[in-house]
Amino acid sequence: MDRTIDHVAFGGTELYELRAAANEVGLTPTYGGEHGTGTTHMAVVPFPDGSYLELIAPTLGTDAADAGFWPDHLAADAGPAAWCLETDDAAATAKTAIDAGLPVDGPHEASRARPDGRLVEWDMCFESTDQRLPFFIRDRTPRSYRVPSAVRNAAVRGLRTVVVATADREATAALFARRHRSPSPVDINGPFSGFAVLPGTPLALCEPGDGALRERIDDVGEGPCAFLVGVTDLDRARNSLSLGPEIRYSDRRMAWFDHDLFDGRLGVVELP
């Protein structure tokens, strides 16, 4: 598996609420425009390493259930919806998934129109029938069209960890081993029960007991439940970001962004 994340999708019913929440915690979203389906629009929070957070919601007048991307997650204001890796060859990536015995949806052409009129185009490929696995993207237009430059921040680097909530951690680990030759999970102290990382990858798994994460799986299925942004030092990050209490993450520190929309779903973690 690629060690870096291209972007992650964080969805809700109202884009203005997602953008307002991002601004309140010190993130700076840029409106990215409407997708080619006409049913969703988005804003980009770029990070210095080139990765980005996509805030996505239905367009005005579109019922969330009719959204072209992740309708269940948008309708439920579920936040984390999907994660993406970049590929140089979408067709070859699709073939690799098929060879691993996974159903594939794509590659498909997709686009969005930026507010300045520039059309952003890419190919995308989804694998399997659930959201545990990442989808893949290949740019047709220059990547700079899709991802604006980030504001320089000495403490912030970029997306580092996707936490996948699963009803069966062993089965999900086996899925990633089959598709991406990922190593076995290693248990660590973290923000959720049954928490483990897959060393050398941007992936962590949690197998929740009863509670909010179990309800989430019941509502929107297994898949990403939280995203973590890498920072060089948690104390320095607090100078520009609004963060909640410190949490242990193995031998490091992490914290959730201090906003109801992001608590338990979007946070920062110190880099090793």
Side-chain angles (χ1 to χ4, degrees), residues 81 113 182:
S182 300

Side-chain angles (χ1 to χ4, degrees), residues 38-119:
T39 61
T40 52
H41 58 159
M42 58 86 76
V44 181
V45 178
F47 296 113
D49 70 352
S51 63
Y52 67 95
L53 169 68
E54 176 182 9
L55 304 174
I56 181 170
T59 50
L60 185 65
T62 299
D63 190 295
D66 298 324
F69 294 110
W70 312 296
D72 292 343
H73 292 74
L74 271 56
D77 280 310
W83 57 300
C84 177
L85 303 178
E86 190 176 16
T87 180
D88 293 330
D89 189 331
T93 299
K95 184 179 184 305
T96 301
I98 292 170
D99 290 345
L102 296 172
V104 169
D105 180 12
H108 297 294
E109 296 181 18
S111 65
R112 62 178 162 88
R114 292 190 344 191
D116 62 4
R118 176 161 280 169
L119 186 66

Side-chain angles (χ1 to χ4, degrees), residues 112-195:
R112 62 178 162 88
R114 292 190 344 191
D116 62 4
R118 176 161 280 169
L119 186 66
V120 187
E121 298 178 285
W122 64 88
D123 295 324
M124 60 197 311
C125 183
F126 294 89
E127 301 176 5
S128 188
T129 56
D130 59 51
Q131 299 302 124
R132 289 177 295 174
L133 289 167
F135 70 95
F136 287 85
I137 192 168
R138 174 188 174 275
D139 289 298
R140 288 177 167 264
T141 49
R143 193 173 189 275
S144 60
Y145 289 13
R146 182 164 59 90
V147 191
S149 297
V151 175
R152 296 182 67 85
N153 186 316
V156 177
R157 290 294 177 264
L159 291 164
R160 282 298 180 271
T161 305
V162 172
V163 183
V164 169
T166 174
D168 188 333
R169 202 179 77 178
E170 183 176 334
T172 296
L175 171 65
F176 278 92
R178 175 160 55 99
R179 172 60 182 91
H180 293 286
R181 298 184 179 179
S182 300
S184 299
V186 175
D187 290 304
I188 67 168
N189 294 326
F192 303 113
S193 63
F195 192 73

